[in-house]
Amino acid sequence: MGLTTEAGSAADMTHNKGEERLAERRVLLMGMPRSGKTSILAVIFDNMQPYDTLSMLPTVQRGTYRMSMGITVYDFPGIDDYSETQYNNLSPSVYEGEHASLVYVIDSQGDIQTSLSTMYSIIRMAQSVNPDIPINIFLNKVDGLSEELRQDIQQDVQNRVMKTMTYESLNSTFVQFFLTTIFDESIKEALSRVVRRLVPRYNSLETILNSFCSKSSLDKAFLFDIATKVFLATDSSPTDSLMYMFACHTLEAIQDIATICSVYTAMGEEEAGLQKTVVGMDGSFKIYVYQVNSFSVLLCLNTMLIARQDSLIEYNGSKIAKAIRQILR
Protein backbone atom coordinates (compact mmCIF):
# COMPACT_ATOMS: atom_id res chain seq x y z
CA MET A 1 0.00 0.00 0.00
CA GLY A 2 1.54 3.30 -1.08
CA LEU A 3 1.04 6.88 -0.03
CA THR A 4 -0.53 9.27 -2.54
CA THR A 5 0.65 12.83 -2.06
CA GLU A 6 -1.13 15.99 -3.04
CA ALA A 7 0.09 17.91 -6.07
CA GLY A 8 0.89 20.91 -3.94
CA SER A 9 3.16 19.12 -1.46
CA ALA A 10 6.88 19.65 -1.20
CA ALA A 11 9.52 17.25 -2.49
CA ASP A 12 9.70 17.75 -6.24
CA MET A 13 11.92 15.27 -8.04
CA THR A 14 13.77 17.96 -10.03
CA HIS A 15 13.46 21.59 -10.92
CA ASN A 16 11.47 20.63 -14.01
CA LYS A 17 7.79 21.32 -13.78
CA GLY A 18 5.42 18.42 -14.24
CA GLU A 19 7.63 15.90 -12.49
CA GLU A 20 6.06 13.40 -10.13
CA ARG A 21 5.86 14.49 -6.50
CA LEU A 22 7.63 12.26 -4.03
CA ALA A 23 5.82 10.62 -1.13
CA GLU A 24 5.91 12.26 2.29
CA ARG A 25 7.34 9.17 4.02
CA ARG A 26 10.18 8.24 1.71
CA VAL A 27 13.48 6.41 1.54
CA LEU A 28 15.94 7.78 -1.02
CA LEU A 29 18.23 4.96 -2.22
CA MET A 30 21.38 6.24 -3.91
CA GLY A 31 24.84 5.00 -4.81
CA MET A 32 27.31 4.43 -7.61
CA PRO A 33 26.53 2.13 -10.57
CA ARG A 34 26.86 -1.58 -9.81
CA SER A 35 26.77 -0.99 -6.07
CA GLY A 36 23.76 -3.32 -5.85
CA LYS A 37 20.96 -0.83 -5.10
CA THR A 38 18.41 -2.20 -7.55
CA SER A 39 19.34 -5.80 -6.77
CA ILE A 40 18.56 -5.18 -3.09
CA LEU A 41 15.09 -3.89 -3.91
CA ALA A 42 14.42 -6.62 -6.48
CA VAL A 43 15.12 -9.30 -3.86
CA ILE A 44 13.04 -7.59 -1.17
CA PHE A 45 10.06 -6.32 -3.16
CA ASP A 46 9.92 -8.62 -6.19
CA ASN A 47 11.07 -11.84 -4.48
CA MET A 48 13.77 -12.22 -7.14
CA GLN A 49 16.38 -14.88 -6.48
CA PRO A 50 19.79 -13.32 -5.72
CA TYR A 51 21.60 -15.00 -8.62
CA ASP A 52 18.93 -13.77 -11.05
CA THR A 53 19.89 -10.17 -10.28
CA LEU A 54 23.26 -10.70 -11.96
CA SER A 55 21.61 -10.27 -15.37
CA MET A 56 19.76 -7.07 -14.46
CA LEU A 57 20.44 -4.00 -16.60
CA PRO A 58 21.77 -0.79 -15.01
CA THR A 59 19.13 1.53 -13.56
CA VAL A 60 18.64 4.54 -15.85
CA GLN A 61 15.35 5.86 -14.47
CA ARG A 62 14.13 6.27 -10.92
CA GLY A 63 12.23 3.25 -9.61
CA THR A 64 9.40 3.36 -7.07
CA TYR A 65 8.65 0.65 -4.50
CA ARG A 66 5.66 1.08 -2.20
CA MET A 67 5.31 -0.41 1.27
CA SER A 68 2.58 -0.39 3.86
CA MET A 69 2.25 2.54 6.29
CA GLY A 70 2.48 4.98 3.37
CA ILE A 71 6.25 4.41 3.03
CA THR A 72 7.79 4.60 -0.45
CA VAL A 73 11.33 3.61 -1.45
CA TYR A 74 12.85 5.44 -4.43
CA ASP A 75 15.68 3.81 -6.36
CA PHE A 76 17.77 6.52 -8.05
CA PRO A 77 20.06 5.74 -11.01
CA GLY A 78 23.70 5.08 -10.22
CA ILE A 79 26.02 8.07 -9.93
CA ASP A 80 29.26 8.02 -11.96
CA ASP A 81 30.10 11.65 -11.33
CA TYR A 82 27.93 13.74 -9.04
CA SER A 83 28.76 16.98 -10.83
CA GLU A 84 27.77 15.66 -14.24
CA THR A 85 24.60 13.72 -13.51
CA GLN A 86 20.97 14.45 -12.75
CA TYR A 87 21.82 14.36 -9.03
CA ASN A 88 23.44 17.74 -9.35
CA ASN A 89 20.14 19.05 -10.76
CA LEU A 90 17.89 17.56 -8.11
CA SER A 91 15.72 20.02 -6.28
CA PRO A 92 16.90 20.31 -2.66
CA SER A 93 13.27 19.72 -1.66
CA VAL A 94 13.83 16.02 -2.41
CA TYR A 95 15.56 15.84 0.96
CA GLU A 96 13.09 18.00 2.90
CA GLY A 97 10.71 16.82 5.58
CA GLU A 98 10.93 14.97 8.86
CA HIS A 99 9.89 11.71 7.16
CA ALA A 100 12.67 11.56 4.56
CA SER A 101 15.58 9.14 4.98
CA LEU A 102 18.72 8.74 2.84
CA VAL A 103 20.28 5.35 2.09
CA TYR A 104 23.65 5.28 0.32
CA VAL A 105 24.86 1.91 -0.97
CA ILE A 106 28.59 1.20 -1.25
CA ASP A 107 30.16 -1.80 -2.98
CA SER A 108 32.43 -3.00 -0.17
CA GLN A 109 34.63 -4.82 -2.71
CA GLY A 110 34.80 -1.87 -5.12
CA ASP A 111 36.27 1.64 -5.17
CA ILE A 112 35.21 2.73 -1.71
CA GLN A 113 37.06 6.07 -1.73
CA THR A 114 35.38 7.29 -4.93
CA SER A 115 32.01 6.15 -3.62
CA LEU A 116 32.56 8.04 -0.37
CA SER A 117 33.51 11.21 -2.24
CA THR A 118 30.21 11.07 -4.13
CA MET A 119 28.34 10.37 -0.91
CA TYR A 120 29.79 13.46 0.78
CA SER A 121 28.48 15.62 -2.10
CA ILE A 122 25.00 14.17 -1.60
CA ILE A 123 25.14 14.63 2.18
CA ARG A 124 26.19 18.27 1.81
CA MET A 125 23.19 18.99 -0.40
CA ALA A 126 20.80 16.97 1.80
CA GLN A 127 21.88 18.61 5.05
CA SER A 128 21.76 22.08 3.54
CA VAL A 129 17.96 21.77 3.55
CA ASN A 130 17.45 19.05 6.17
CA PRO A 131 20.25 18.91 8.78
CA ASP A 132 18.56 16.07 10.67
CA ILE A 133 17.94 13.72 7.72
CA PRO A 134 18.91 10.16 8.70
CA ILE A 135 21.88 8.86 6.70
CA ASN A 136 22.07 5.08 6.34
CA ILE A 137 25.20 3.61 4.76
CA PHE A 138 24.85 0.09 3.37
CA LEU A 139 28.23 -1.60 2.95
CA ASN A 140 26.95 -4.04 0.36
CA LYS A 141 28.28 -7.21 -1.29
CA VAL A 142 29.98 -8.54 1.85
CA ASP A 143 29.15 -12.12 0.81
CA GLY A 144 32.33 -14.16 0.43
CA LEU A 145 34.22 -12.03 2.93
CA SER A 146 35.30 -13.40 6.29
CA GLU A 147 33.64 -11.99 9.38
CA GLU A 148 36.92 -10.41 10.42
CA LEU A 149 37.33 -8.66 7.06
CA ARG A 150 33.71 -7.45 7.16
CA GLN A 151 34.25 -5.85 10.54
CA ASP A 152 37.55 -4.31 9.41
CA ILE A 153 35.86 -2.73 6.36
CA GLN A 154 32.99 -1.38 8.44
CA GLN A 155 35.34 0.07 11.06
CA ASP A 156 37.56 1.67 8.40
CA VAL A 157 34.63 3.24 6.52
CA GLN A 158 33.00 4.39 9.74
CA ASN A 159 36.20 6.09 10.91
CA ARG A 160 36.70 7.82 7.56
CA VAL A 161 33.11 9.01 7.33
CA MET A 162 32.98 10.35 10.88
CA LYS A 163 36.34 12.09 10.51
CA THR A 164 35.31 13.78 7.25
CA MET A 165 31.88 14.81 8.51
CA THR A 166 33.41 16.29 11.66
CA TYR A 167 36.01 18.19 9.61
CA GLU A 168 33.31 19.60 7.31
CA SER A 169 30.96 20.37 10.22
CA LEU A 170 28.31 17.98 8.88
CA ASN A 171 25.77 16.47 11.27
CA SER A 172 26.76 12.86 12.03
CA THR A 173 24.17 12.31 14.77
CA PHE A 174 21.85 10.25 12.59
CA VAL A 175 24.40 8.21 10.64
CA GLN A 176 24.09 4.42 10.69
CA PHE A 177 26.25 1.71 9.07
CA PHE A 178 25.06 -1.72 7.92
CA LEU A 179 26.81 -4.74 6.44
CA THR A 180 24.54 -6.14 3.72
CA THR A 181 24.31 -8.82 1.06
CA ILE A 182 21.42 -10.03 -1.08
CA PHE A 183 22.30 -13.62 -0.18
CA ASP A 184 20.88 -13.46 3.36
CA GLU A 185 18.39 -11.47 5.40
CA SER A 186 20.81 -8.65 6.21
CA ILE A 187 19.29 -6.42 3.51
CA LYS A 188 15.82 -6.82 5.00
CA GLU A 189 17.06 -6.22 8.52
CA ALA A 190 18.92 -3.08 7.40
CA LEU A 191 15.87 -1.73 5.55
CA SER A 192 13.75 -2.52 8.62
CA ARG A 193 15.96 -0.30 10.77
CA VAL A 194 15.66 2.46 8.17
CA VAL A 195 11.88 2.43 7.66
CA ARG A 196 10.87 2.03 11.29
CA ARG A 197 11.87 5.67 11.82
CA LEU A 198 9.20 6.54 9.26
CA VAL A 199 6.39 4.40 10.70
CA PRO A 200 3.52 6.52 12.06
CA ARG A 201 3.18 6.37 15.85
CA TYR A 202 6.18 4.08 16.17
CA ASN A 203 6.68 4.90 19.86
CA SER A 204 3.12 3.76 20.63
CA LEU A 205 3.68 0.51 18.76
CA GLU A 206 6.94 -0.12 20.62
CA THR A 207 5.26 0.55 23.98
CA ILE A 208 2.48 -1.92 23.20
CA LEU A 209 4.96 -4.60 22.12
CA ASN A 210 7.08 -4.02 25.25
CA SER A 211 4.00 -4.53 27.42
CA PHE A 212 3.02 -7.66 25.49
CA CYS A 213 6.48 -9.22 25.87
CA SER A 214 6.67 -8.34 29.57
CA LYS A 215 3.23 -9.62 30.56
CA SER A 216 3.40 -12.74 28.40
CA SER A 217 7.06 -13.64 29.11
CA LEU A 218 7.99 -13.45 25.42
CA ASP A 219 11.54 -13.18 24.13
CA LYS A 220 10.78 -11.01 21.11
CA ALA A 221 7.89 -9.57 19.11
CA PHE A 222 7.97 -8.25 15.53
CA LEU A 223 5.35 -6.42 13.51
CA PHE A 224 6.10 -7.58 9.96
CA ASP A 225 5.15 -6.16 6.59
CA ILE A 226 3.83 -9.35 4.99
CA ALA A 227 4.94 -8.72 1.41
CA THR A 228 8.56 -7.76 2.09
CA LYS A 229 9.30 -9.44 5.47
CA VAL A 230 10.59 -6.07 6.66
CA PHE A 231 9.70 -5.44 10.30
CA LEU A 232 7.84 -2.19 10.88
CA ALA A 233 8.12 -2.26 14.65
CA THR A 234 9.55 -4.39 17.42
CA ASP A 235 9.92 -4.27 21.19
CA SER A 236 12.86 -2.38 22.68
CA SER A 237 14.93 -5.44 23.63
CA PRO A 238 18.06 -5.98 21.48
CA THR A 239 17.34 -7.51 18.08
CA ASP A 240 19.70 -10.36 17.31
CA SER A 241 20.34 -10.87 13.59
CA LEU A 242 19.95 -14.63 13.87
CA MET A 243 16.64 -14.20 15.68
CA TYR A 244 15.38 -11.88 12.94
CA MET A 245 16.55 -14.29 10.24
CA PHE A 246 14.76 -17.14 11.97
CA ALA A 247 11.58 -15.07 12.27
CA CYS A 248 11.71 -14.26 8.53
CA HIS A 249 12.14 -17.88 7.52
CA THR A 250 9.38 -18.98 9.89
CA LEU A 251 6.96 -16.45 8.45
CA GLU A 252 7.80 -17.53 4.90
CA ALA A 253 7.21 -21.17 5.84
CA ILE A 254 3.87 -20.38 7.46
CA GLN A 255 2.79 -18.44 4.39
CA ASP A 256 3.80 -21.28 2.10
CA ILE A 257 1.95 -23.88 4.14
CA ALA A 258 -1.14 -22.08 5.35
CA THR A 259 -1.39 -18.99 3.11
CA ILE A 260 -2.31 -17.10 6.23
CA CYS A 261 -3.56 -14.01 4.47
CA SER A 262 -5.73 -15.70 1.85
CA VAL A 263 -8.72 -15.80 4.18
CA TYR A 264 -8.62 -12.12 5.05
CA THR A 265 -12.24 -11.21 4.46
CA ALA A 266 -13.88 -8.15 2.99
CA MET A 267 -15.69 -7.63 6.29
CA GLY A 268 -13.15 -4.94 7.17
CA GLU A 269 -10.69 -5.71 9.92
CA GLU A 270 -12.89 -7.84 12.14
CA GLU A 271 -10.95 -10.15 14.40
CA ALA A 272 -12.93 -13.17 13.23
CA GLY A 273 -11.64 -12.66 9.70
CA LEU A 274 -7.97 -12.80 10.69
CA GLN A 275 -5.70 -15.78 11.19
CA LYS A 276 -3.79 -16.98 14.23
CA THR A 277 -1.02 -19.55 13.93
CA VAL A 278 0.96 -21.34 16.65
CA VAL A 279 4.06 -23.30 15.69
CA GLY A 280 5.69 -25.65 18.17
CA MET A 281 9.42 -26.22 17.76
CA ASP A 282 11.96 -28.29 19.69
CA GLY A 283 11.08 -28.80 23.32
CA SER A 284 9.31 -25.77 24.78
CA PHE A 285 10.03 -23.32 21.94
CA LYS A 286 6.94 -21.83 20.29
CA ILE A 287 6.15 -19.16 17.72
CA TYR A 288 2.90 -17.21 17.71
CA VAL A 289 1.69 -15.38 14.60
CA TYR A 290 -1.33 -13.07 14.58
CA GLN A 291 -2.58 -11.42 11.45
CA VAL A 292 -3.12 -7.73 12.22
CA ASN A 293 -4.61 -6.65 8.89
CA SER A 294 -4.22 -7.31 5.18
CA PHE A 295 -0.59 -6.13 5.09
CA SER A 296 0.95 -6.92 8.48
CA VAL A 297 1.35 -9.72 11.02
CA LEU A 298 2.55 -9.88 14.60
CA LEU A 299 5.14 -12.62 15.16
CA CYS A 300 6.24 -13.55 18.70
CA LEU A 301 9.08 -15.83 19.83
CA ASN A 302 9.18 -17.68 23.13
CA THR A 303 11.98 -20.01 24.20
CA MET A 304 10.95 -20.44 27.86
CA LEU A 305 7.33 -21.40 27.49
CA ILE A 306 5.38 -22.98 30.31
CA ALA A 307 2.42 -25.02 29.10
CA ARG A 308 -0.16 -23.13 31.13
CA GLN A 309 0.96 -19.87 29.47
CA ASP A 310 -0.47 -20.91 26.12
CA SER A 311 -3.94 -19.60 26.71
CA LEU A 312 -2.61 -16.37 28.28
CA ILE A 313 -0.33 -15.65 25.32
CA GLU A 314 -3.04 -16.40 22.77
CA TYR A 315 -5.50 -14.16 24.61
CA ASN A 316 -2.99 -11.31 24.99
CA GLY A 317 -1.87 -11.73 21.38
CA SER A 318 -5.40 -11.27 20.06
CA LYS A 319 -5.86 -8.15 22.17
CA ILE A 320 -2.51 -6.70 21.11
CA ALA A 321 -3.24 -7.35 17.43
CA LYS A 322 -6.54 -5.52 17.85
CA ALA A 323 -4.81 -2.58 19.56
CA ILE A 324 -2.25 -2.36 16.76
CA ARG A 325 -5.02 -2.35 14.15
CA GLN A 326 -6.60 0.61 15.89
CA ILE A 327 -3.27 2.48 15.95
CA LEU A 328 -2.69 1.85 12.26
CA ARG A 329 -6.09 3.09 11.15
Side-chain angles (χ1 to χ4, degrees):
M1 181 178 66
L3 176 68
T4 302
T5 56
E6 296 296 329
S9 66
D12 293 333
M13 166 60 183
T14 69
H15 288 296
N16 298 328
K17 293 183 179 180
E19 288 284 355
E20 177 191 353
R21 308 296 198 220
L22 299 191
E24 177 188 0
R25 299 179 186 275
R26 61 192 182 276
V27 177
L28 310 171
L29 195 70
M30 300 181 179
M32 295 189 69
R34 298 171 293 281
S35 59
K37 302 181 293 81
T38 306
S39 296
I40 288 174
L41 298 180
V43 171
I44 294 177
F45 288 89
D46 299 330
N47 293 317
M48 184 178 289
Q49 293 301 310
Y51 283 108
D52 292 339
T53 65
L54 299 177
S55 59
M56 293 180 65
L57 297 175
T59 303
V60 295
Q61 292 184 331
R62 190 189 73 226
T64 302
Y65 298 81
R66 304 192 186 279
M67 296 181 60
S68 56
M69 306 283 196
I71 298 171
T72 304
V73 181
Y74 293 101
D75 177 22
F76 288 80
I79 317 164
D80 282 310
D81 185 344
Y82 183 86
S83 63
E84 297 179 0
T85 66
Q86 61 174 314
Y87 285 81
N88 201 34
N89 297 319
L90 279 178
S91 169
S93 59
V94 166
Y95 307 104
E96 286 181 350
E98 60 180 324
H99 302 306
S101 186
L102 173 64
V103 173
Y104 190 83
V105 182
I106 296 175
D107 181 353
S108 63
Q109 301 185 53
D111 186 350
I112 294 179
Q113 183 56 48
T114 300
S115 186
L116 287 177
S117 296
T118 301
M119 182 188 74
Y120 297 142
S121 298
I122 294 174
I123 292 175
R124 292 186 201 104
M125 174 60 74
Q127 291 197 355
S128 69
V129 295
N130 187 358
D132 295 331
I133 186 172
I135 299 167
N136 308 278
I137 301 172
F138 286 13
L139 295 170
N140 197 35
K141 300 185 180 181
V142 297
D143 45 281
L145 303 181
S146 67
E147 183 62 29
E148 181 179 3
L149 183 54
R150 293 183 184 192
Q151 296 303 321
D152 287 344
I153 291 174
Q154 180 173 358
Q155 188 62 48
D156 176 60
V157 171
Q158 185 169 332
N159 290 340
R160 283 198 269 177
V161 169
M162 291 304 184
K163 182 178 180 180
T164 299
M165 293 187 71
T166 300
Y167 178 77
E168 297 193 15
S169 299
L170 297 170
N171 184 6
S172 60
T173 305
F174 304 105
V175 178
Q176 295 187 101
F177 298 84
F178 302 94
L179 294 170
T180 61
T181 169
I182 58 175
F183 292 96
D184 61 27
E185 308 301 328
S186 60
I187 53 173
K188 296 180 181 179
E189 182 178 1
L191 187 59
S192 297
R193 296 183 184 279
V194 172
V195 302
R196 70 178 182 175
R197 292 184 175 185
L198 309 180
V199 172
R201 303 185 66 183
Y202 180 84
N203 290 336
S204 297
L205 292 171
E206 183 181 75
T207 299
I208 288 177
L209 295 179
N210 283 339
S211 177
F212 182 33
C213 290
S214 174
K215 294 181 178 180
S216 302
S217 301
L218 296 171
D219 294 287
K220 196 67 183 172
F222 294 99
L223 178 64
F224 273 103
D225 177 84
I226 295 174
T228 62
K229 309 303 182 297
V230 167
F231 69 82
L232 303 169
T234 184
D235 63 280
S236 59
S237 66
T239 301
D240 180 79
S241 294
L242 292 177
M243 182 178 291
Y244 170 73
M245 185 181 303
F246 177 74
C248 277
H249 292 169
T250 300
L251 184 56
E252 289 172 356
I254 292 174
Q255 285 184 287
D256 290 340
I257 296 172
T259 318
I260 63 173
C261 295
S262 62
V263 296
Y264 182 81
T265 66
M267 295 163 31
E269 295 179 348
E270 296 299 327
E271 188 173 350
L274 304 176
Q275 290 293 292
K276 309 182 187 84
T277 304
V278 181
V279 180
M281 305 296 286
D282 295 338
S284 60
F285 186 51
K286 283 192 176 181
I287 302 163
Y288 296 82
V289 181
Y290 300 87
Q291 186 179 351
V292 174
N293 50 33
S294 59
F295 57 81
S296 62
V297 296
L298 175 64
L299 186 146
C300 313
L301 304 174
N302 194 315
T303 56
M304 301 177 62
L305 187 70
I306 301 174
R308 65 174 179 271
Q309 290 181 322
D310 274 5
S311 58
L312 173 63
I313 293 176
E314 292 183 24
Y315 175 80
N316 287 345
S318 297
K319 295 299 181 183
I320 291 296
K322 184 177 180 180
I324 293 175
R325 281 198 297 279
Q326 293 174 342
I327 288 178
L328 300 183
R329 282 174 177 169

